[in-house]
Amino acid sequence: MKIAVTGGTGFVGQKLVQALKKEGHDIYILTRSPEKHQNTDQVTYVGWLKESFSPEKKLPVLDAIVNLAGESLNSGRWTEEKKQTILQSRIEATEGVLDLIDALPEKPDVLVNASAVGFYGQSKTKTFTEETTKAGNDFLASVVVEWEERAAKAKEKGVRTVYVRFGIILGEEGALPKMVLPYKMMVGGNLGSGEQWMSWIHVQDVVGLIQFALIHPDLEGPLNGTAPNPKRNKDFGQTLGDVLNRPHWLPAPAFALKAALGDMSTLLLDGQAVIPKKALREGYSFKYPELEPALASILEN
């Protein structure tokens, strides 16, 4: 297959590109700075979101597009300006993908667009699947709704569209190193009440689900990118402490996290239990369905 990837130089994107290369696909990484990268036999870096971008000259007929581009939620306090950047980076990238689809002489078969479990809002008591159609009413939910609405326009253009609602992605980069730090300093513990749900997924299953979505022609719409066994924060933390052989004992009060992080504290203090019902029904086999082996595979290397 010939596959274009946005966000291909990021944490998840790099893992995805490696996996696609092993399968023999040709990858075209759409980036603002192609000059910073070296092309190889299977990977070509293409300048994107520039006025000079001419897809019909730079790209072959594509089988698929994977859109992973967007500002990190974890990089800095959520000022009003930061919130706008979080939203606009996702909208700009998705609109860029839609423009690309329009400009190509032949449309790709499928668009796999990143999304997030933030769609569902926050709850300590409910469990959410793809059959949950009502979005939450907080900032992250509003971002995801608008993000997915833009991505869904690809379907109107005749392109099968899947938006993968990722949970907390566990890997050598991303959120996990920040979670590990207090345990290494012997001060790990519950965040706030510890009762909030954490819907997590190993980065290898992130890649696996994207690949799964690419090749299953009946799969479209929302796809929950989470492991089948979400954990409450207190249980996640205890498991993390066990894997690191460090104590889980010192809680971080909610008021202190809110004071330090502002609105961004919602990433730590709020959550939702999300089940990947569609992936399981369609036959995806998780490499890491359980938390302890998932953490051990990353932290014991």
Side-chain angles (χ1 to χ4, degrees):
M1 293 174 70
K2 297 185 185 302
I3 304 170
V5 180
T6 76
T9 60
F11 164 43
V12 171
Q14 290 181 62
K15 300 281 190 184
L16 176 64
V17 169
Q18 290 171 8
L20 293 175
K21 282 174 59 181
K22 286 182 181 178
E23 291 191 338
H25 302 299
D26 294 319
I27 302 105
Y28 298 83
I29 298 180
L30 307 183
T31 172
R32 294 178 187 271
S33 306
E35 68 281 356
K36 295 182 180 179
H37 306 279
Q38 186 68 42
N39 292 343
T40 66
D41 288 343
Q42 287 179 261
V43 180
T44 303
Y45 294 86
V46 179
W48 184 53
L49 296 179
K50 297 181 178 182
E51 291 183 6
S52 59
F53 179 48
S54 300
E56 69 278 4
K57 297 178 181 178
K58 300 289 183 83
L59 292 169
V61 174
L62 295 172
D63 298 292
I65 301 175
V66 180
N67 179 21
L68 302 174
E71 175 82 3
S72 170
L73 298 178
N74 300 300
S75 58
R77 193 179 181 93
W78 286 3
T79 61
E80 289 305 312
E81 183 179 359
K82 175 70 172 181
K83 286 181 178 180
Q84 276 300 112
T85 302
I86 288 170
L87 173 62
Q88 290 305 318
S89 65
R90 286 158 174 75
I91 299 305
E92 180 183 33
T94 306
E95 290 286 359
V97 167
L98 294 171
D99 290 343
L100 170 59
I101 290 170
D102 285 338
L104 289 170
E106 294 184 37
K107 291 178 173 49
D109 295 324
V110 57
L111 165 63
V112 178
N113 205 81
S115 187
V117 295
F119 171 88
Y120 300 108
Q122 308 157 11
S123 178
K124 292 184 173 70
T125 57
K126 296 178 182 178
T127 299
F128 301 99
T129 72
E130 294 91 349
E131 294 170 0
T132 305
T133 57
K134 184 178 180 181
N137 56 11
D138 58 11
F139 166 69
L140 287 179
S142 69
V143 169
V144 175
V145 167
E146 190 163 351
W147 196 8
E148 290 184 355
E149 284 178 350
R150 299 302 174 96
K153 292 181 180 179
K155 184 178 179 180
E156 299 171 10
K157 301 175 187 294
V159 178
R160 178 170 65 89
T161 304
V162 184
Y163 20 96
V164 190
R165 293 172 177 164
F166 292 120
I168 300 166
I169 298 174
L170 303 182
E172 302 86 354
E173 299 177 47
L176 185 59
K178 296 175 182 176
M179 297 181 198
V180 165
L181 186 59
Y183 288 88
K184 289 189 173 180
M185 299 174 66
M186 309 297 282
V187 292
N190 293 351
L191 302 179
S193 70
E195 295 297 322
Q196 67 273 31
W197 285 101
M198 300 178 68
S199 294
W200 60 274
I201 183 170
H202 193 290
V203 67
Q204 288 188 26
D205 280 314
V206 169
V207 171
L209 275 172
I210 293 171
Q211 293 174 292
F212 189 80
L214 287 172
I215 63 173
H216 281 73
D218 294 332
L219 197 60
E220 60 181 342
L223 178 69
N224 287 338
T226 60
N229 296 291
K231 294 287 187 183
R232 292 194 186 271
N233 173 262
K234 61 184 181 182
D235 300 317
F236 187 103
Q238 184 63 63
T239 304
L240 181 55
D242 291 345
V243 170
L244 292 169
N245 196 27
R246 296 290 195 277
H248 172 83
W249 68 283
L250 187 63
F255 73 85
L257 292 170
K258 289 178 180 178
L261 301 175
D263 288 349
M264 195 175 84
S265 62
T266 189
L267 295 176
L268 304 177
L269 297 173
D270 303 307
Q272 53 286 112
V274 178
I275 304 299
K277 185 174 182 178
K278 191 181 287 188
L280 294 171
R281 184 185 69 214
E282 296 297 322
Y284 179 75
S285 179
F286 282 85
K287 297 179 179 71
Y288 293 99
E290 301 289 347
L291 180 60
E292 185 168 354
L295 289 173
S297 74
I298 299 163
L299 300 173
E300 292 181 355
N301 290 337

